[in-house]
Each structure stands twice: as structure tokens, then as C-alpha cells.
Amino acid sequence: MTLLQDGLIAFLSAVGVTTLVWIVAGAFFRAGRPAVPGLLLVLPLRGEALAMEADVRELRRLKNRLPGARIVLADCGMTADARALAAYLADREQGVALADGAVIDLGEHNHTKEEAHGRAGHL
């Protein structure tokens, strides 16, 4: 019986130490999460954009894990009602912007979709 108790205590001790190491290592690696300046999370929207609010909510969650990121709602042919909702969301949320889908601000210069696709093709 003593052997079983000693074995159980040793097992629980090993699990406890492993858990503590895991928590400390996780906190250490998460604390140094680098910010990516200028990271754009682009949501292209067209038509009625029925899932826009849910998509923006998901992008906000993702943005919380990516410091320095901004959300861009790209108008790629939305209806007037959908554009009004996108404008409302952009005004209400910090770090959310509404842009024309043909030109997206990449920081220093404005680039057309074709230029952006051309650059992405060279990577």
C-alpha cells in the first residue's frame, strides 16, 4: 500500500512540475510577441455583404492577437445599404477603415489591385 501511495505522490508531483514549467514557458513566449507594423487585414466586400458584421467581429478577435494590425473593409461593389453599414462599422471601431476596393492604402503610397497582385506574384 505504501508503494502505491508513493507512486501516486510521485506521479502527481511530476504532473504539477510539468504544469508549472508549461505555464511559465507559455507566459515567457507570449510576452515577447512582436508587433507587425502596417499589417492590414483586408475584408473584400461586394453585393449585400450579408456576413459583414460577423466577419468584422472575427477579424477583431484576430487583430487582438496581432498588435499593430489594422482592419480594412474594401468596397468591391457593395450596395448602398451595405456601404452605409460598413461606414458605420468603420466609424464605430478603432483601427477599422473603409476603402475603395480598387485602391488600398499600403502605408506610404496608394497601389492599385493589379500592382499589389504583381508584387505578390514575385514572392
Side-chain angles (χ1 to χ4, degrees):
M1 189 66 167
T2 329
L3 183 62
L4 182 61
Q5 289 174 346
D6 290 343
L8 183 62
I9 290 172
F11 173 74
L12 292 176
S13 297
V15 169
V17 169
T18 303
T19 302
L20 288 176
V21 169
W22 187 269
I23 290 170
V24 169
F28 177 73
F29 288 120
R30 264 191 298 256
R33 192 177 335 159
V36 182
L39 178 65
L40 298 178
L41 304 172
V42 180
L43 179 62
L45 300 165
R46 47 177 73 114
E48 290 292 320
L50 298 175
M52 180 188 339
E53 289 182 90
D55 292 340
V56 169
R57 196 174 317 121
E58 287 299 318
L59 285 176
R60 257 191 327 211
R61 284 188 196 137
L62 182 61
K63 182 181 165 219
N64 289 336
R65 290 186 281 161
L66 298 169
R70 294 180 296 156
I71 299 172
V72 176
L73 305 176
D75 183 358
C76 298
M78 288 190 288
T79 63
D81 291 338
R83 180 152 179 98
L85 178 60
Y88 170 74
L89 291 173
D91 289 339
R92 187 182 77 178
E93 301 288 335
Q94 184 177 357
V96 178
L98 177 61
D100 183 22
V103 178
I104 296 175
D105 181 15
L106 296 177
E108 298 173 5
H109 306 288
N110 286 339
H111 300 279
T112 63
K113 283 192 291 189
E114 291 77 21
E115 290 172 345
H117 285 296
R119 249 186 286 137
H122 296 309
L123 295 178

